[in-house]
Amino acid sequence: MTTLYEVHGPVALITLSNPPVNGLGYQTRASITENLQKANDDQTIKAIVITGAGKAFSGGADIKEFGTPKALQEPNLLSVILALENSSKPVVAAIHSVCMGGGLELALGCHYRIAAPGCSVALPEVKLGLLPGAGGTQRLPRVLGVEPALNMIVSGEPVKSELLAQIPGQKLFDRMASSVESLADEAFALAQAISDTRPLPLVRSLPCKHPNGDAYFQFARNMVKGMAKNFPAPLKCVDAVEAATKQKFEEGMRQERAFFVNLMWTPESRALRHIFQAERAASKIPDVPSDTPNRQINSIAVIGAGTMGGGIAMNFLNAGIPVKLLEMKQEALERGIATIRKNYESQVKKGKLKQDKYEERMGLLSTTLRYDDLTDADLVIEAVFEELGVKEKVFTELDRVMKPGAILASNTSTLDLNKIAAFTQRPQDVVGLHFFSPANIMKLLEVVRGEKTAKDVMATVMTVAKKIRKTAVVSGVCDGFIGNRMIEQYGRQGGFLLDEGCTPAQVDKAIENFGFAMGPFRMGDLAGNDIGWAIRKRRYQEKPDMKYSKTADLLCEKGRFGQKTGAGWYDYVQGKRDAIPNQEVVAMIEAHRASLGITPRQISDEEIVQRLVYALVNEAAHILEEGIASKASDIDVVYLMGYGFPVHRGGPMLYADQVGLFNVVQAMKRFARNPLDDASFWKPAPLLARLAAEGKTFN
Ligand code: T1G
């Protein structure tokens, strides 16, 4: 049973009870119709109230059911809503906390609606590449007015119930309860007050017009086109709402249904639904039970007040958690504080942060030059120079001063976390927290699990990540963890493509047309080509047989590090970010190619995209089979949130699944035959080869 049935005098109460958010899965839908029938059959019942248990009225259709036969199994959501509308006794929806998607559509099928203040009301289907598919595009405009309804449907953003109740002429809420606590009683009172009122009001019977329909919808389409770039759903939302103003209700419903079913099968919707699940699945660690007790984290210490240390500190200040910032010298501390202030002040200037909030956050920040001041911190995060000797000094000190049970984290992005843990007597308390720059903006956090990291430390840092609004992905210990290890292969392919005949602009344009915000060369100029240069120098020592194009080194030897030097692969005008192709660089590439005796060839955009993306996929397959990542969707989350993989393609692993792993392997075999490429790299990872041979997918 996933709804509860109670009788309160002449009122029947149906309570959705399908934790965590009363998703309208098959069991719940069937249970609603059963109890609705029961109430209609009971002569003593004069009215019905429907509400949700726990932290939501309803979060909508059960996303976990999508793509399974259950999602369409009768009674589907449309049938449930029809049953509510056709109930011979009035149905009152008592709405609180979260009322979204199908949950709002269900409420719109009721005869009356009463809402508690503070409830998040939304039709977020567009964020899943869909549109409301159970009457939302036809009913919401009828109770809110066309424009507010279309705004909600196209944005998918929640609006607080009390704000919606203030819209002149709105018929979404017949009443506002004074609080969540009094909602039930006030809903019963409303139910009794209207129990004899006939005819029962139906939202479908309300008029739906817009005084300047053609002009307004043309305007709406123009506005939506910008955001809709790679997504078909937003424009379909406009079409569906326009149908509500021009067609009879049933015809409008037919059009909505057709749009919904069509969108459900688009790759874009598949990608967005995958990302929704993947982001939430990432916080689940297979061998760490979800009820593992967390350590108390009430205060943080950050070692290093540089760019990363300052950004890391801001995450915790923003979450209201006190931070003690340690540096070796006073002027370094002052520089760090000044940077934090500058960041906050620019947010205040843009109206993104209130002055009092800014001051409150700065009030949580303290500084010190002494390790002995850190003893009461529950979690310390080191963000010092990326050199093992420096880390050793820091962790030896931390081991000396930190209280037992404190968590010692390193923000290292390239060093071996197990070696860092071994600098302490408590490797079980050591973990990697790899933030991405700018640390206070980027949502991705790679949580690096050492061989000895305790399970409760893992559970605790995953909770902390959610508290500071980061999407955490667990990585094992390897060079580059997940993201940087993959991008190294992506970058290598970029170099080979130059040697074989491409210009930087051609490679960037090809992959940017695929959907990346920036190609590898524009990105190198942004991040600084000297970073990759340092890594390659290390690589030449560690892995002398690893093949690299030398072009990037030649560029760096000219001091062309990118935007920070005003010139890199491209030229830049002071204060602007436009990448201007530079003929000298192209000539340098051509001369280098000639020196290798390479005759340049025309390389198609398709080959460019495949070599860059499949390089990610093959390296990711190795990462999966080595257990560095526990699931393919984690790798998608890393690459979507940290490296700009196009959202509408769902991540490198989902994209490979949609291309078909057999086709990916076939392409890799072609690349392996190219003498100028690295044939050994293109040997499919065993996992990839097996899945392709078995016709299976990563996800
Ligand atoms: N179905 C199933 N599970 C859901 C769910 C849903 N709609 N929404 C959330 N969950 C799970 C989520 O996977 C996680 O599970 C847990 O709830 C907590 O989620 C016909 C077809 C409701 C605002 O798009 O926006 O209706 O990982 O971490 O931060 O027109 O979840 O713990 O196992 O996000 O408190 C439309 C999506 C569906 C709402 C709560 N509805 N959900 O946020 O918790 S399509 C949505 C949210 C539809 C109809 C169409 C948020 C939330 P687990 P959480 P939260």
Side-chain angles (χ1 to χ4, degrees), residues 20-21 55 59 61-64 102 105 124-125 132-133 280 284 466:
V21 295
K55 68 175 193 177
D62 189 332
I63 295 175
K64 294 184 173 96
E105 292 172 305
E125 290 85 342
R280 287 158 181 79
K284 295 177 180 54
K466 195 159 185 175

Side-chain angles (χ1 to χ4, degrees), residues 309-587:
I312 290 168
M314 287 177 72
N315 289 312
F316 292 93
L317 299 175
N318 297 347
I321 301 171
V323 176
K324 187 164 285 186
L325 192 54
L326 178 140
E327 255 295 355
M328 304 315 287
K329 294 198 186 69
Q330 188 56 31
E331 58 270 23
L333 265 186
E334 281 157 15
R335 249 195 330 272
I337 300 290
T339 306
I340 292 173
R341 281 197 177 284
K342 189 161 67 59
N343 281 334
Y344 278 137
E345 278 156 9
S346 76
Q347 286 177 28
V348 170
K349 232 176 262 142
K350 289 179 202 154
K352 288 185 177 170
L353 180 67
K354 293 226 179 333
Q355 182 66 29
D356 60 337
K357 273 276 173 221
Y358 160 40
E359 283 152 16
E360 187 184 303
R361 289 177 184 178
M362 290 310 289
L364 290 169
L365 179 60
S366 59
T367 61
T368 180
L369 298 171
R370 302 174 58 251
Y371 276 92
D372 290 301
D373 286 350
L374 305 183
T375 46
D376 60 354
D378 304 306
L379 164 65
V380 58
I381 304 171
E382 160 275 313
V384 299
F385 186 65
E386 192 71 350
E387 201 280 312
L388 209 51
V390 178
K391 307 287 188 192
E392 179 170 11
K393 286 200 181 74
V394 170
F395 275 83
T396 306
E397 276 299 89
L398 293 177
D399 197 24
R400 179 179 65 81
V401 302
M402 299 304 291
K403 67 185 178 188
I407 296 177
L408 318 182
S410 169
N411 172 53
T412 183
S413 55
T414 60
L415 301 174
D416 183 333
L417 186 88
N418 293 323
K419 288 189 180 145
I420 292 174
F423 295 143
T424 74
Q425 307 302 315
R426 44 177 136 177
Q428 72 282 0
D429 296 338
V430 177
V431 69
L433 292 180
H434 177 214
F435 289 84
F436 285 73
S437 182
N440 56 309
I441 307 285
M442 293 292 280
K443 272 181 68 75
L444 179 63
L445 176 67
E446 279 182 328
V447 172
V448 185
R449 182 175 186 173
E451 271 156 21
K452 298 192 175 119
T453 304
K455 290 189 177 184
D456 70 323
V457 167
M458 292 304 294
T460 304
V461 295
M462 297 307 274
T463 305
V464 167
K466 195 159 185 175
K467 210 173 281 178
I468 61 173
R469 305 174 68 77
K470 296 294 179 188
T471 299
V473 176
V474 176
S475 171
V477 177
C478 72
D479 193 334
F481 309 134
I482 298 172
N484 285 343
R485 175 168 160 183
M486 289 167 64
I487 201 168
E488 184 166 358
Q489 297 309 331
Y490 174 86
R492 270 194 342 129
Q493 285 301 315
F496 295 146
L497 286 162
L498 296 184
D499 290 351
E500 294 170 39
C502 291
T503 62
Q506 185 192 353
V507 173
D508 283 349
K509 214 176 287 333
I511 199 74
E512 286 162 17
N513 289 339
F514 174 78
F516 276 79
M518 275 190 170
F521 300 108
R522 283 180 60 209
M523 194 166 68
D525 278 356
L526 178 69
N529 297 311
D530 47 329
I531 294 172
W533 196 22
I535 292 175
R536 285 194 304 279
K537 285 177 184 169
R538 193 154 55 85
R539 270 299 169 269
Y540 299 153
Q541 304 302 322
E542 290 161 357
K543 300 182 179 173
D545 55 354
M546 172 82 95
K547 190 174 176 183
Y548 280 90
S549 159
K550 290 284 178 268
T551 314
D553 298 349
L554 296 174
L555 185 85
C556 290
E557 282 156 18
K558 293 172 178 290
R560 295 181 70 99
F561 294 158
Q563 291 187 22
K564 59 184 166 186
T565 56
W569 295 103
Y570 302 92
D571 287 337
Y572 298 88
V573 172
Q574 183 66 32
K576 288 206 170 169
R577 288 181 171 256
D578 307 68
I580 305 158
N582 172 287
Q583 283 322 309
E584 278 172 44
V585 168
V586 173

